[in-house]
Amino acid sequence: MQVAVVQQASDLEPEVNRVRLAELAPHDTDLVVFPEAFARDFGEAGSDVSAYAEPSDGAFASEVGRVADDRGTTVVAGMFERSDDPARPFNTLVVRGAVSADYRKVHLYDSFGYRESDRLTAGPLSDPPGGSLVKVGGFTLGLMTCYDLRFPELARLLVAAGAEVLVVPAAWVAGPRKVDHWRTLLRARAIENTVFVVGAAQPAPRYSGHSMVVDPLGEVLCEAGEGNEVLGATLDRDVLEEARRTNPSLANRRL
């Protein structure tokens, strides 16, 4: 499976970001992953983003679908989606193309001095969370968003349900040790679950950048720096199967 990872800052103007979908999504890929909140940036910490919430068939998701169809690929991108609470939308990943799904972020970023739950609604809990598993390019993908990465039980839940690739769009806020945390956690989720991990981050200076693709034994296949960048990687099923023969930790589980 050919994967493209788009590390690009989202604008405060939604129309700019809709235009960028077509500008940045490459041809000849099976999967294109944009960051969290690509439809419109969060703005200043604690900002009210409810005015920028859209339905899952609104302008942004429709453009994601149009670009996916035009490129003959599947696109994943983050947006704010209307919820039952008009003041607190969902933080949603829309998937359009070979498959259509919407994953609503389960773990809101109430950490490092932030309170995402003051402005957003957490996605409903289920096993696995709704919209979090999709099939693309012969692989089963498990979707996670940013802070979800810090919860290994969610990754394992997805893998137990069949995920072979974890896809993690993020707006990983910059700060001391944050790049190290991001890189370590992406590799840890790959190693402990023997899966590929695709992390698509927003760039510095506000966020941490360093989007990357990691193989099932923790090898970094590609990694961005701090700025805007588009990465490409090939996910090979033979690599997945060999990793699981070498380290059969999933088969060896006792709990």
Side-chain angles (χ1 to χ4, degrees):
M1 179 168 67
Q2 300 298 318
V3 177
V5 182
V6 179
Q7 180 168 292
Q8 171 72 41
S10 59
D11 199 88
L12 293 174
E13 173 48 59
E15 185 176 356
V16 171
N17 300 316
R18 290 196 297 271
V19 170
R20 283 177 177 167
L21 288 168
E23 291 176 344
L24 295 169
H27 294 268
D28 301 321
T29 63
D30 300 297
L31 178 68
V32 182
V33 185
F34 286 84
E36 175 187 22
F38 193 74
R40 199 265 184 184
D41 187 50
F42 286 93
E44 293 297 322
S47 294
D48 181 359
V49 297
S50 61
Y52 304 97
E54 302 180 18
S56 60
D57 60 354
F60 182 77
S62 295
E63 181 63 4
V64 171
R66 189 197 70 78
V67 170
D69 290 345
D70 179 71
R71 301 295 194 273
T73 189
T74 297
V75 177
V76 180
M79 62 173 279
F80 301 124
E81 180 195 3
R82 292 174 188 167
S83 74
D84 291 338
D85 182 348
R88 296 168 60 240
F90 293 119
N91 185 339
T92 298
L93 299 180
V94 295
V95 185
R96 300 291 186 270
V99 66
S100 182
D102 303 301
Y103 166 63
R104 298 168 180 97
K105 185 178 180 181
V106 170
H107 298 100
L108 298 181
Y109 187 50
D110 291 356
S111 187
F112 289 88
Y114 288 80
R115 287 280 305 172
E116 191 174 18
S117 63
D118 288 346
R119 295 299 188 182
L120 296 172
T121 295
L125 297 176
S126 58
D127 184 4
S132 60
L133 284 172
V134 296
K135 290 187 179 293
V136 175
F139 285 86
T140 300
L141 278 52
L143 303 176
M144 306 169 68
T145 305
C146 200
Y147 192 48
D148 283 337
L149 184 64
R150 292 186 181 271
F151 297 86
E153 58 271 28
L154 176 58
R156 180 52 58 89
L157 193 72
L158 293 170
V159 172
E164 300 161 313
V165 182
L166 297 177
V167 177
V168 192
W172 197 266
V173 178
R177 298 175 295 277
K178 295 296 288 296
V179 169
D180 188 46
H181 286 194
W182 166 252
R183 299 184 78 255
T184 299
L185 290 167
L186 288 172
R187 295 186 67 231
R189 297 296 88 86
I191 294 165
E192 69 198 3
N193 293 294
T194 53
V195 293
F196 290 100
V197 175
V198 178
Q202 291 211 40
R206 180 170 185 191
Y207 302 105
S208 296
H210 288 269
S211 298
M212 68 171 67
V213 180
V214 185
D215 85 0
L217 290 178
E219 191 78 22
V220 176
L221 301 181
C222 57
E223 180 176 358
E226 294 185 345
N228 294 331
E229 191 170 344
V230 179
L231 303 175
T234 301
L235 309 191
D236 188 334
R237 176 161 296 281
D238 289 342
V239 171
L240 176 72
E241 293 174 352
E242 177 61 25
R244 291 183 170 182
R245 284 193 295 269
T246 301
N247 175 26
S249 58
L250 293 176
N252 292 338
R253 288 175 59 206
R254 299 186 65 195
L255 295 175

